[in-house]
Every structure is written in C-alpha cells, then in structure tokens.
Amino acid sequence: MIKNSLAILTIAVSFSLMSAQDISTIRNTVDVYSNNFSNGTAKYQGMAGSMGALGGEISSLNSNPAGIGVFIASDINGTLNINNSKNTTNFNGKSLNYKINNTDLGEIGGVATFQIEGNTPWKFINIAVDYSTQSLEDYSETAGNKNISFSIPSAATTLDFDGHAYNRYGNLSNSSFAVGANYNNNLYLGAALHFKTANIDQYDTAAFTDSALNTTEIFNKQYTPFSEQSNGFAASLGVIGKLNNQIRLGASLETPTWWQITRIYNSYDNPTDDTYTEDRKLSSPMKATVSAAFVASKDFAINVDYTLGITKPKYKVYGGAETELNNFFSNSYKNLSEIKMGAEYRLMGLRLRAGYGLANSPFDSQSITAYRNDGSVGNSSFSNLILGKRTTIAGGIGYDFGSIYLDASYQNVQSTYNNPFLRGDNAVNSNYFSDNFVLPSSNYAVNEVKNNQNNISLTLGYKF
C-alpha cells in the first residue's frame, strides 16, 4: 500500500468542455458541498430517507421540515452509526481493494411539542433541534502499469508507472433548527435553518520506478496535499397536506447552501516550494422535493420522494480558476435528480421498514485522451467520469415499548465511476512533482472504481 504518502486529485484537465480545472474541487463540489445529507435516525435510514409526505420523524426535516408539524408528542433520540465502505479499483486487468470502517454517534436530536388549547384550528406548534454527522474518508489505490513510462533524457533514465492513490479524510456535519405547525390535523407547515461544517484533507500521489537506479519516486500533484475548513448555511420551507385519510402530498424547497471555504495548499516550483492560503465562496444547488404518501391504515404506509436540483453549483469569481469552474458546471453538470421510496408496516409494537433510492450521475458524458493498457494513447468516452449514479437498498426493524422505542436499519449503497489522474499541463504548472523530477504526462490514466457501502444504524428514543 502507498496510502501514507498519497494525495487527492487536483488534476488540471482538458475535457471537451473545460480547459484547465481541478478534478478534486469538481468532485468535492458535488460529493461534499452539494451533498443531500444521508445520515439520520434508523427509521429514516431504513426507509432510504423517504418520508417527505409522512413526517413525524426528526430526520424528515432533511427532506421536508413540515414533517416536524406532524409530531403530537415530544421526542428525544440518539443514533449510533456503523459504516463499512469498500473501494475496488480496476486498471490494466488488476484489482485492488481498500476498506474503511467507522463507528460514531451519527445523529442526536429532539422535538418539543406545544399543544394549542382553545377554539382554534391550530393544533400544535413544535420546535426541533437536530445534529448529524458523517465521515468523508475515501481511499482508492490504482495498480501500476509498466507500459506507461516516461523518458527523462536529462537524467538518462525512464520512469515506469508503479501506482496511484486518491485519499481523503474529513467530516461533514449539519445542525438544524426547525419549527413545524399543525393546522386542523390536515395541513402541516414547517421551516428550518441548517448550519453545516466540513473539514477535508486531500492527497493525490503517484509512484514511479526510476529504471536507472531501481528506486521508487513519489510524485505529488501540484497544489496537494491541501486542506479545507468550511462553513455553510441553508434554509428550507415545506408543506404537507392530507387530501383524505389515505392520501398525503408534500412539497419543500431548500435554498442553496452558501459556503465559506478556507483552503491551505502546497505549491511546487512557484518559483519555490511553499504553502499558501486562499478563500473561496460557493453556492450549492437549490433543491425542490415533491412527495406523495399512501396510508392504507394505521399499520401500513408507503412514501415516494423526488428531489430535483433547480440551480447549479456556482463559485464567486476571484480569478480565472473560479471562472473555469463555473463554466464547467454550466456546461457539463446535470441537475441533481433523486428518487426515494420507503414503506413501514406495523404489527402491534413491531415495526418493519424497507426503502430504495436512485440518484443520477451528476455529469454529462466526457471524452478525454487516455492511456490504453499497452501504453498507447487514444480518445475514450466515459458516461460516469468523476462520479456515477448511486443506488440505495434499505431495510429496518423497530419496536415501540410505549415511551421508549428502539430501531435498527441496514443500508447497502453502491456506485461505480471512472477516476482520471496523471495528466499535467506545463502551461498552467499543474504537473506532478517529486524531489527530483517533474512528470511529463500530457494524458490521463483512467481507472474504474466500484464503491460498496454497508451501513448499520441503531436508534434509541424516548417519547413524552
């Protein structure tokens, strides 16, 4: 393994629709800063996060804050998350696996209900506070290919490709404060404020064998490793209406998350190696969610949510880098589209749950010049470059003891994407650097990454 010295993609690219851009920034803009927050209670997880027209669950404020108005009893809860993530990379007929295990307190929150007395159609005003967090750690290592080599005439040697790794550490958290109201037991309104934080350490490193000395040279991508400390704010509004005792409809709108990002990065040969700091401002996509639920009886309910991004990521322009980022997202970003379905069946105190989710690939197909297995170069087209579509299959079980309830859930989340690396550009000084060489690669190597996550959540709650 070459993990301890490896760094995340900040690769200058020349896709058909962009010139010199930062792959890791593009990936994190979507994967981190535009992320639909996936953590929550075990009930929420067991239904794949599909509760937009049902409500009555604190994590439902992530999709529709009107769900807070459905509560008729106060509630406090905490959730333990056990997460296993496995990346399998395929390149040149070779596969490498890496697993990451995390156990942490993924969610804690509470709802206070206030019943309104007197002759008024307003039945409840409720207040909710919720905190959730998730790990951003990600690591994928690519096997070497001796057919990809670079001649260094000045050193009378050849550099043979010996492997690459993409590595990210960090956490994403969300603190939400919501108010929900119940009007005549058939109309529910809600509003929420969301305060988000993200911290990221990123690496992008390649290893090459110096054929003359038979030693390994470690190359860091220009501007890596780097770290980002970020704070964001968003707000959301929602409504749930009962058409009759069986049919409920919901709708919500979430503003962009306005992020303030402080970034510390390494620069090589600029004109000397050093560390620099810069600030960026980013607005993530605005999102709209529509929901429908069928409540067959007090024992069975099914819900469907559809979320659509109605704007695209946009950076405040301080210079050419932000302009090119904005141009890329304007031309190549596909608006978020995600569908989630969830159901719950009750048998006395027992609860059984299931769910399914599908999120689209966020980018259009791209054509790039890439190395083949034999070391030659040719144009290749990829439909899932950088990030791919994501599928979620979920199930859960719970038991209501009266005031105390206990829930458990399992999720399997899968995605497949192609990861580009190795390319540098002398014109914008975006190469890979070692202590002795500058890598003369003007083309990409592209692997396939299959990510498989198995997530278990356990929630203990108390109603009063």
Side-chain angles (χ1 to χ4, degrees), residues 253 286-290 306-311 335-338:
L253 184 68
M286 178 182 289
K287 305 181 186 77
T289 299
V290 291
Y306 177 70
T307 299
L308 178 68
I310 54 178
T311 62
N335 286 10
L336 167 73
S337 177
E338 183 175 17

Side-chain angles (χ1 to χ4, degrees), residues 20-49:
Q21 224 29 270
D22 204 48
I23 289 295
S24 65
T25 298
I26 292 170
R27 184 171 191 256
N28 291 332
T29 298
V30 178
D31 191 36
V32 176
Y33 297 118
S34 303
N35 179 28
N36 268 355
F37 214 88
S38 58
N39 272 6
T41 64
K43 178 178 179 179
Y44 181 79
Q45 301 271 50
M47 296 176 65

Side-chain angles (χ1 to χ4, degrees), residues 51-110:
M51 303 189 70
L54 292 174
E57 169 68 24
I58 191 167
S59 295
S60 67
L61 65 82
N62 290 323
S63 55
N64 189 345
I68 301 302
V70 179
F71 278 86
I72 59 174
S74 297
D75 184 292
I76 56 173
N77 65 78
T79 301
L80 179 70
N81 286 336
I82 303 169
N83 308 116
N84 170 270
S85 179
K86 177 183 177 181
N87 278 335
T88 301
T89 62
N90 296 292
F91 183 73
N92 189 33
K94 300 176 183 177
S95 294
L96 293 177
N97 300 320
Y98 191 82
K99 294 181 180 180
I100 297 172
N101 297 305
N102 284 297
T103 301
D104 52 35
L105 183 63
E107 182 275 338
I108 187 169

Side-chain angles (χ1 to χ4, degrees), residues 306 337-341 356-360 389-392:
Y306 177 70
S337 177
E338 183 175 17
I339 187 167
K340 298 183 291 187
M341 297 173 282
Y356 174 80
L358 175 64
N360 69 317
K389 71 177 182 180
R390 183 182 69 249
T391 59
T392 301

Side-chain angles (χ1 to χ4, degrees), residues 276-298:
Y276 299 87
T277 301
E278 65 180 359
D279 294 324
R280 281 179 171 167
K281 292 183 179 180
L282 166 68
S283 59
S284 70
M286 178 182 289
K287 305 181 186 77
T289 299
V290 291
S291 309
F294 176 70
V295 183
S297 66
K298 292 182 179 181

Side-chain angles (χ1 to χ4, degrees), residues 120-326:
T120 174
W122 294 99
K123 305 301 181 183
F124 284 90
I125 297 291
N126 303 330
I127 298 173
V129 179
D130 187 61
Y131 173 81
S132 53
T133 184
Q134 65 185 64
S135 172
L136 297 174
E137 186 175 357
D138 186 58
Y139 180 80
S140 60
E141 183 175 347
T142 303
N145 181 356
K146 300 301 183 182
N147 292 326
I148 301 175
S149 62
F150 303 94
S151 177
I152 311 294
S154 61
T157 189
T158 299
L159 298 175
D160 298 328
F161 178 54
D162 203 30
H164 174 273
Y166 168 97
N167 194 7
R168 179 178 71 196
Y169 298 97
N171 291 281
L172 175 66
S173 64
N174 182 33
S175 299
S176 296
F177 303 87
V179 176
N182 175 339
Y183 182 84
N184 207 32
N185 291 323
N186 56 28
L187 181 66
Y188 307 91
L189 305 173
L193 303 177
H194 310 278
F195 300 89
K196 305 178 184 183
T197 62
N199 60 83
I200 300 172
D201 292 309
Q202 300 189 125
Y203 305 84
D204 174 6
T205 299
F208 284 81
T209 299
D210 183 331
S211 61
L213 301 177
N214 197 29
T215 58
T216 299
E217 285 280 331
I218 300 298
F219 289 78
N220 287 306
K221 185 68 172 68
Q222 176 71 299
Y223 311 125
T224 70
F226 68 81
S227 63
E228 291 179 349
Q229 302 290 327
S230 309
N231 294 290
F233 167 76
S236 58
L237 297 170
V239 60
I240 297 173
K242 288 184 179 179
L243 299 186
N244 51 48
N245 288 335
Q246 285 76 42
I247 305 297
R248 302 182 185 185
L249 300 178
S252 66
L253 184 68
E254 182 178 330
T255 70
T257 299
W258 292 284
W259 288 97
Q260 302 269 357
I261 303 170
T262 298
R263 175 182 171 113
I264 301 173
Y265 62 92
N266 286 272
S267 182
Y268 309 99
D269 193 30
N270 190 31
T272 60
D273 298 356
D274 208 344
T275 300
Y276 299 87
T277 301
E278 65 180 359
D279 294 324
R280 281 179 171 167
K281 292 183 179 180
L282 166 68
S283 59
S284 70
M286 178 182 289
K287 305 181 186 77
T289 299
V290 291
S291 309
F294 176 70
V295 183
S297 66
K298 292 182 179 181
D299 297 326
F300 179 74
I302 186 170
N303 183 90
V304 178
D305 294 341
Y306 177 70
T307 299
L308 178 68
I310 54 178
T311 62
K312 297 184 178 183
K314 187 173 184 179
Y315 283 88
K316 182 176 181 180
V317 174
Y318 294 103
E322 290 83 13
T323 298
E324 289 180 345
L325 281 164
N326 289 339

